[in-house]
Amino acid sequence: IAAIYVVLEAEFVAAVQVLVYAGGIMVLFLFVIMLVNLGDVQGRRVRLHATFSSVIGLGVLGIVLYVYGKAALPGASSAPSTLRAGGNLQSVGWEMLRSYVLPFEIASILLLVAMIGAIVLARQKA
């Protein structure tokens, strides 16, 4: 369906179509992981992974906030004039890279944390 939208020159709708269905597949994947019964998990090992993941997550968050504070993001400059007249998808992309970098990164980090949390919770003994 996304290819049909591309042929019809609706690139943004095609990209949203791919993102929505990829997200649906990821949710199904997480449900399968959560429903699988894993009985041989040790609590100490899970706590070690959770601590390690938390430290890495806080480090990544600190780096993102530091770079955002310095305003030295590689895509933060204005778009060249050739790309401004390109199309809807390009304008949305440039707007995300220029004005909405931090909310976009926060949303991606939250989704990653939710996915890791679902895996960790599914692996613990009930």
Side-chain angles (χ1 to χ4, degrees):
I1 293 176
I4 294 171
Y5 285 132
V6 170
V7 171
L8 294 172
E9 297 179 2
E11 294 90 5
F12 180 71
V13 178
V16 169
Q17 180 81 19
V18 170
L19 289 175
V20 166
Y21 279 102
I25 290 170
M26 182 60 67
V27 167
L28 288 175
F29 178 71
L30 288 176
F31 280 138
V32 167
I33 289 175
M34 289 176 63
L35 292 175
V36 172
N37 188 11
L38 301 171
D40 62 335
V41 177
Q42 300 152 351
R44 180 177 172 196
R45 184 174 162 199
V46 170
R47 277 188 241 118
L48 177 65
H49 288 300
T51 304
F52 186 67
S53 299
S54 300
V55 169
I56 289 177
L58 288 174
V60 168
L61 179 65
I63 291 171
V64 167
L65 290 176
Y66 175 76
V67 171
Y68 186 74
K70 290 287 189 179
L73 296 172
S77 63
S78 64
S81 61
T82 58
L83 290 178
R84 287 188 189 147
N88 192 17
L89 186 59
Q90 287 177 340
S91 63
V92 169
W94 278 108
E95 193 64 29
M96 286 180 79
L97 287 175
R98 196 171 347 128
S99 302
Y100 299 106
V101 173
L102 185 63
F104 182 76
E105 291 297 326
I106 288 173
S108 65
I109 290 172
L110 284 175
L111 290 172
L112 179 65
V113 167
M115 186 171 64
I116 292 172
I119 293 170
V120 168
L121 288 175
R123 293 189 59 135
Q124 290 179 355
K125 290 184 181 179

